[in-house]
PDB file of all heavy atoms in Angstrom:
ATOM      1  N   MET C 123      14.639 -16.792  10.771  1.00  0.00           N
ATOM      2  CA  MET C 123      14.054 -18.132  10.696  1.00  0.00           C
ATOM      3  C   MET C 123      13.251 -18.449  11.952  1.00  0.00           C
ATOM      4  O   MET C 123      12.165 -19.013  11.879  1.00  0.00           O
ATOM      5  CB  MET C 123      15.146 -19.174  10.460  1.00  0.00           C
ATOM      6  CG  MET C 123      15.599 -19.121   9.003  1.00  0.00           C
ATOM      7  SD  MET C 123      16.662 -20.443   8.451  1.00  0.00           S
ATOM      8  CE  MET C 123      17.886 -20.542   9.686  1.00  0.00           C
ATOM      9  N   ILE C 124      13.821 -18.079  13.107  1.00  0.00           N
ATOM     10  CA  ILE C 124      13.068 -18.339  14.339  1.00  0.00           C
ATOM     11  C   ILE C 124      11.767 -17.541  14.332  1.00  0.00           C
ATOM     12  O   ILE C 124      10.693 -18.059  14.647  1.00  0.00           O
ATOM     13  CB  ILE C 124      13.906 -17.969  15.584  1.00  0.00           C
ATOM     14  CG1 ILE C 124      15.170 -18.812  15.619  1.00  0.00           C
ATOM     15  CG2 ILE C 124      13.091 -18.198  16.855  1.00  0.00           C
ATOM     16  CD1 ILE C 124      16.114 -18.428  16.734  1.00  0.00           C
ATOM     17  N   SER C 125      11.866 -16.262  13.940  1.00  0.00           N
ATOM     18  CA  SER C 125      10.633 -15.470  14.023  1.00  0.00           C
ATOM     19  C   SER C 125       9.602 -15.954  13.013  1.00  0.00           C
ATOM     20  O   SER C 125       8.401 -15.926  13.292  1.00  0.00           O
ATOM     21  CB  SER C 125      10.891 -13.973  13.888  1.00  0.00           C
ATOM     22  OG  SER C 125      11.816 -13.682  12.914  1.00  0.00           O
ATOM     23  N   VAL C 126      10.037 -16.407  11.844  1.00  0.00           N
ATOM     24  CA  VAL C 126       9.063 -16.918  10.882  1.00  0.00           C
ATOM     25  C   VAL C 126       8.412 -18.192  11.412  1.00  0.00           C
ATOM     26  O   VAL C 126       7.195 -18.384  11.292  1.00  0.00           O
ATOM     27  CB  VAL C 126       9.727 -17.163   9.510  1.00  0.00           C
ATOM     28  CG1 VAL C 126       8.850 -17.998   8.621  1.00  0.00           C
ATOM     29  CG2 VAL C 126      10.014 -15.839   8.849  1.00  0.00           C
ATOM     30  N   ALA C 127       9.218 -19.054  12.052  1.00  0.00           N
ATOM     31  CA  ALA C 127       8.639 -20.289  12.599  1.00  0.00           C
ATOM     32  C   ALA C 127       7.586 -19.958  13.654  1.00  0.00           C
ATOM     33  O   ALA C 127       6.447 -20.447  13.596  1.00  0.00           O
ATOM     34  CB  ALA C 127       9.743 -21.168  13.194  1.00  0.00           C
ATOM     35  N   ILE C 128       7.956 -19.072  14.605  1.00  0.00           N
ATOM     36  CA  ILE C 128       6.987 -18.723  15.662  1.00  0.00           C
ATOM     37  C   ILE C 128       5.787 -18.012  15.043  1.00  0.00           C
ATOM     38  O   ILE C 128       4.636 -18.298  15.360  1.00  0.00           O
ATOM     39  CB  ILE C 128       7.635 -17.809  16.721  1.00  0.00           C
ATOM     40  CG1 ILE C 128       8.833 -18.504  17.360  1.00  0.00           C
ATOM     41  CG2 ILE C 128       6.628 -17.441  17.799  1.00  0.00           C
ATOM     42  CD1 ILE C 128       9.582 -17.633  18.354  1.00  0.00           C
ATOM     43  N   GLY C 129       6.079 -17.073  14.134  1.00  0.00           N
ATOM     44  CA  GLY C 129       5.014 -16.290  13.525  1.00  0.00           C
ATOM     45  C   GLY C 129       4.019 -17.151  12.780  1.00  0.00           C
ATOM     46  O   GLY C 129       2.806 -16.951  12.877  1.00  0.00           O
ATOM     47  N   CYS C 130       4.511 -18.160  12.036  1.00  0.00           N
ATOM     48  CA  CYS C 130       3.612 -19.056  11.296  1.00  0.00           C
ATOM     49  C   CYS C 130       2.713 -19.806  12.264  1.00  0.00           C
ATOM     50  O   CYS C 130       1.503 -19.921  12.056  1.00  0.00           O
ATOM     51  CB  CYS C 130       4.405 -20.080  10.495  1.00  0.00           C
ATOM     52  SG  CYS C 130       5.081 -19.392   9.001  1.00  0.00           S
ATOM     53  N   LEU C 131       3.332 -20.308  13.314  1.00  0.00           N
ATOM     54  CA  LEU C 131       2.566 -21.096  14.268  1.00  0.00           C
ATOM     55  C   LEU C 131       1.480 -20.241  14.924  1.00  0.00           C
ATOM     56  O   LEU C 131       0.285 -20.564  14.847  1.00  0.00           O
ATOM     57  CB  LEU C 131       3.513 -21.655  15.338  1.00  0.00           C
ATOM     58  CG  LEU C 131       2.898 -22.710  16.241  1.00  0.00           C
ATOM     59  CD1 LEU C 131       2.697 -23.990  15.448  1.00  0.00           C
ATOM     60  CD2 LEU C 131       3.798 -22.968  17.434  1.00  0.00           C
ATOM     61  N   VAL C 132       1.902 -19.115  15.512  1.00  0.00           N
ATOM     62  CA  VAL C 132       0.942 -18.270  16.219  1.00  0.00           C
ATOM     63  C   VAL C 132      -0.097 -17.701  15.246  1.00  0.00           C
ATOM     64  O   VAL C 132      -1.292 -17.716  15.519  1.00  0.00           O
ATOM     65  CB  VAL C 132       1.663 -17.127  16.959  1.00  0.00           C
ATOM     66  CG1 VAL C 132       0.655 -16.209  17.635  1.00  0.00           C
ATOM     67  CG2 VAL C 132       2.625 -17.694  17.978  1.00  0.00           C
TER      68      VAL C 132
END
Side-chain angles (χ1 to χ4, degrees):
Chain C
M123 284 190 312
I124 299 175
S125 42
V126 166
I128 301 176
C130 282
L131 191 71
V132 177

